[in-house]
Amino acid sequence: MLNFTKFERINPEKRDVLLRLKDFNEVYKVFGTQRAEEQADRCMQCGDPYCHTGCPLGNFIPAWLKQTATKNPDLAFALSNETSPFPEILGRICPQDVLCEGACSLNTGHGAISIGAIETHISEEAFARGMKPKFSEHKKDQKIAVIGSGPSGISAATFLLRKGYNVEMFERADRAGGLLMYGIPGFKLDKTTVDRRINWLLEAGMTLHLNCEIGKDRDIKELESEFDAIYLGIGATAGRFAGIEGEKDASNVHLAMELLTGIQKRNLGKNVDFIDVKDKNVVVIGGGDTAMDCVRTSVREKAKSVKCLYRRDEANMPGSKKEVVNAKEEGVEYVFNVSPKSIVVENGIATGIELLTTSMSEPDESGRQKVVINEGSEYIEDADIIIMALGFSPEVPTFLKDLNVDTNSWGGIETSNYKTSNKKVYAGGDCQRGAHLAVTAAVDGREAARTIIKNFS
Ligand code: SF4
């Protein structure tokens, strides 16, 4: 260990830009064993490891780095899977630069440990040798319904099954995985990795109901009487418009998920309508990871031009920096410091977007800079297709009322330690905390499962 001067930080290798633009296959290659061992060997084994604190799951990062560096891959696998429901997925999709790697003590000088890439390697290498996650063989009596099969639902199901509880999962879509299946593009997360985790839950005894919308295909009151507990991991799936004139009047202004889900379904071989951006000038409004997914999807779909419009400057972009770099490499153009004012609509079709330029204020006491609109700076950016990637709000299903589950002013489910106002019902992830990261949804699923189990004992 401590070999951070002998080995410099290395990022996982990326596929050549010209090749990766031709398909939706993953961009990053998984570390080989020697590379993973060397990179793990850089770790300083800090007594009070900041990386562990920077990881929302509180993963035992130095412990599994040490086991990797000292050639104990089985123990590294066990430790890595102990706190995380799907480490090989989060190693691929977490914005490590603002989480574990951002907090790594080496980040300020020698380069952070490549934690995400090593995490992915540990599980992928173990799976290739036939290892699997472990679940309890001793079944308990209680049955838990998990509604929603996204990251928080999968996490809750994983930690309940590990303790031997019976789990039935209900998903309104035709495939399990939620955001992991239909939200995040394949170039960041191959869908076989999601299916693999779901299949292990099924092997562990979980029952999965697809195409099953609660309140329509199954009665919630029936579930309430049939199950000992219900976990709501229904996400925040309602996309947000900008609230500007003309945005609802044009047939070519879309929400981000319409673009991403349609193309992902087509890529999975489904005969569906999708937004065809080929040879079009695409403008995406927003600066987060979903906006990056939209622009990078559009370049792969052979759009004529792809622009990302963001109201702050590059330093204040909220998403992962590596995704911004990847998008630039793939030919996306950024227009910073612009705020949308209205959509220019002709005969029901948007032909452009009226923008105002912005400036950043001086930082306030907390260091935050405000956006200042430059009055009179209007100009028009031409566009054939406009995509709004401005975040998500919870959909509030009517069955929450039937369950007497309280929601708050923005539609989030009210909880105290994941318990809702109905003592049989628990909630976590985006439907409870607001739209956030897959890793925080995984934390909620794990912690809610622990609360459910505690309440049984
Ligand atoms: Fe880092 Fe995410 Fe893995 Fe935690 S789960 S160690 S934040 S990549």
Side-chain angles (χ1 to χ4, degrees), residues 24 93 179 182-189 191 256-257 259-261 263 282 284 286-301 306 308 319-320 323-324 326-327 330 332 334 387 389 392:
F24 279 78
I93 64 172
L179 172 86
Y182 285 136
I184 296 173
F187 51 81
K188 280 165 67 178
L189 179 65
K191 302 308 153 189
M257 276 303 148
L259 175 78
L260 298 176
T261 305
I263 289 171
V282 178
V284 175
D289 284 344
T290 304
M292 297 312 108
D293 293 345
C294 290
V295 291
R296 298 181 68 202
T297 292
S298 299
V299 289
R300 281 164 176 75
E301 289 290 294
V306 182
C308 178
S320 173
E323 298 307 323
V324 178
N326 287 337
E330 292 165 7
V332 172
Y334 285 85
I387 306 289
F392 302 92

Side-chain angles (χ1 to χ4, degrees), residues 55-57 59 61 64 90-91 94 96 99-100 115-116 119 439:
C55 168
L57 282 162
N59 281 344
I61 300 166
W64 43 256
L90 294 173
C94 270
Q96 287 95 9
L99 299 173
C100 54
I115 297 169
E119 185 177 32
V439 65

Side-chain angles (χ1 to χ4, degrees), residues 175-339:
R175 285 178 80 134
L179 172 86
L180 302 176
M181 180 57 66
Y182 285 136
I184 296 173
F187 51 81
K188 280 165 67 178
L189 179 65
D190 190 284
K191 302 308 153 189
T192 58
T193 64
V194 184
D195 286 339
R196 186 171 55 187
R197 279 280 164 186
I198 296 290
N199 286 337
W200 280 322
L201 300 184
L202 295 173
E203 270 182 30
M206 184 182 83
T207 305
L208 174 63
H209 305 270
L210 295 174
N211 298 305
C212 185
E213 186 170 344
I214 304 301
K216 188 171 143 222
D217 303 305
R218 280 296 289 270
D219 186 85
I220 192 67
K221 297 303 274 183
E222 265 176 41
L223 292 193
E224 192 184 16
S225 57
E226 191 185 327
F227 288 86
D228 298 287
I230 297 174
Y231 176 67
L232 303 174
I234 53 179
T237 51
R240 293 188 198 134
F241 280 95
I244 55 175
E245 197 186 320
E247 65 184 6
K248 303 267 177 77
D249 304 333
S251 58
N252 52 340
V253 177
H254 304 279
L255 292 168
M257 276 303 148
E258 291 176 55
L259 175 78
L260 298 176
T261 305
I263 289 171
Q264 183 54 46
K265 285 187 173 173
R266 183 212 59 195
N267 289 350
L268 288 167
K270 293 186 195 312
N271 189 11
V272 290
D273 286 338
F274 63 92
I275 299 168
D276 186 0
V277 301
K278 187 164 184 267
D279 298 329
K280 305 268 172 57
N281 295 304
V282 178
V283 162
V284 175
I285 304 170
D289 284 344
T290 304
M292 297 312 108
D293 293 345
C294 290
V295 291
R296 298 181 68 202
T297 292
S298 299
V299 289
R300 281 164 176 75
E301 289 290 294
K302 304 190 173 31
K304 190 168 161 192
S305 72
V306 182
K307 283 187 184 170
C308 178
L309 312 183
Y310 182 53
R311 63 204 297 265
R312 296 170 182 270
D313 57 13
E314 184 165 3
N316 282 287
M317 287 186 88
S320 173
K321 302 285 176 270
K322 70 179 178 186
E323 298 307 323
V324 178
V325 171
N326 287 337
K328 281 184 182 172
E329 286 172 358
E330 292 165 7
V332 172
E333 188 185 329
Y334 285 85
V335 183
F336 294 109
N337 289 110
V338 287
S339 180

